[in-house]
Amino acid sequence: MTHRARPTVPPDGTGPHRPLALVTGAGRSVGIATTIAVDLARDGWDVAFTYWSAYDARMPWGMEKEAPAELSRRLGEVGARACGIEADLSDPRAPSRLFDAVERELGMVTALVMGHCESVDSGLLDTTVDSFDRHVAVNARAVWLLIREFALRFAGPHGSGRIVGLTSDHTVGNLPYGASKGAMDRITLAAAQELAHLGVSANVINPGAIDTGWMSEQLRGDVVHQTPLGRTGRPQDCANLVTFLLSPRGGWINGQLLSSNGGVG
């Protein structure tokens, strides 16, 4: 399913064409990727985003049926052209189909922000082979295929392309998630070197524990206690950094794994 929006605040026609960001994993109204998408739209970007309802439906927070349409509406309200595309990124054919759809709707992607994930808690002794393989397919293989598709199609000015991935270093009791996110780090950071001929920067952000409604009161209290700045992370904290990295001001930062976690050691 595709959700489209056209800007309700028309451009004045005096500025340059808006660049286009593809943000994956924006299926929840309070999610990190959703906040990133809205911030980018406010900062002058058109935005395509993905979501996967079947994943949210099997998670404790459940599926927000109207969230993709609502996000498209919010993006249009701040002047962005937008489209939301449902995509099962465990399917190796999904990235090429996704870029085809985005190009038909909005044009060439200038920046790729990967906020999607598969995350089901399990440890060394109770992770199943199927679960491990699904985590690797979504969190690592899809990242490789998305970056490859982006690079094969990118034709923007040298230095204008951006890739940002969102990661985690949590592995204890969360083995398949942490292991596959570690692979995602390596794949994304390799792009900083391998895509040098395109002038595309590639960075990874570790946002730490972000409170998007999944924390118990006890866990929230533990995170606050362990964080020098005395609070949990918020989606906006991550969005602030992504928006900076995608801006001209952030163009010199490349090939970095950046911790944005309030100082947790």
Side-chain angles (χ1 to χ4, degrees):
M1 182 181 297
T2 301
H3 295 270
R4 302 176 181 87
R6 292 296 180 264
T8 56
V9 181
D12 61 14
T14 61
H17 181 71
R18 294 170 67 106
L20 171 61
L22 170 57
V23 180
T24 63
R28 300 179 63 215
S29 60
V30 296
I32 297 173
T34 295
T35 306
I36 290 169
V38 173
D39 259 29
L40 288 174
R42 289 174 177 154
D43 207 42
W45 292 77
D46 291 333
V47 180
F49 65 91
T50 74
Y51 61 99
W52 182 232
S53 300
Y55 172 72
D56 290 318
R58 60 184 168 85
M59 300 304 288
W61 50 78
M63 180 181 64
E64 294 182 59
K65 185 177 180 181
E66 301 303 321
E70 174 64 14
L71 177 54
S72 289
R73 185 192 64 78
R74 292 174 65 190
L75 297 174
E77 283 185 344
V78 294
R81 296 183 307 142
C83 70
I85 299 170
E86 188 155 23
D88 177 7
L89 292 174
S90 69
D91 182 348
R93 300 166 296 182
S96 61
R97 292 173 175 173
L98 173 60
F99 272 84
D100 284 344
V102 172
E103 288 178 354
R104 284 194 303 268
E105 290 291 327
L106 300 177
M108 186 196 74
V109 175
T110 312
L112 172 63
V113 180
M114 294 172 290
H116 69 275
C117 75
E118 171 78 14
S119 179
V120 178
D121 293 349
S122 61
L124 286 164
L125 302 182
D126 59 340
T127 296
T128 67
V129 171
D130 284 347
S131 177
F132 191 90
D133 287 350
R134 185 166 58 249
H135 279 79
V136 171
V138 174
N139 297 342
R141 185 180 67 191
V143 165
W144 159 50
L145 294 173
L146 286 164
I147 291 174
R148 186 177 72 173
E149 206 65 40
F150 173 77
L152 289 172
R153 298 169 187 246
F154 181 75
H158 194 277
S160 64
R162 300 284 192 272
I163 297 171
V164 176
L166 304 185
T167 193
S168 172
D169 56 8
H170 189 247
T171 53
V172 177
N174 210 0
L175 171 72
Y177 176 70
S180 56
K181 281 292 190 177
M184 186 277 284
D185 297 352
R186 300 302 98 188
I187 294 166
T188 305
L189 295 178
Q193 300 292 328
E194 294 198 22
L195 303 186
H197 63 291
L198 297 174
V200 171
S201 70
N203 295 287
V204 178
I205 297 171
N206 183 347
I210 299 292
D211 188 0
T212 59
W214 58 273
M215 292 184 184
S216 66
E217 287 300 321
Q218 179 177 346
L219 177 58
R220 187 177 294 108
D222 290 343
V223 171
V224 169
H225 178 72
Q226 295 166 8
T227 304
L229 291 181
R231 65 170 174 84
T232 61
R234 301 164 183 152
Q236 189 63 55
D237 297 319
C238 189
N240 291 341
L241 182 52
V242 172
T243 303
F244 172 73
L245 290 174
L246 265 59
S247 75
R249 302 184 306 278
W252 191 237
I253 301 171
N254 190 25
Q256 304 302 307
L257 200 168
L258 304 167
S259 292
S260 176
N261 61 10
V264 176

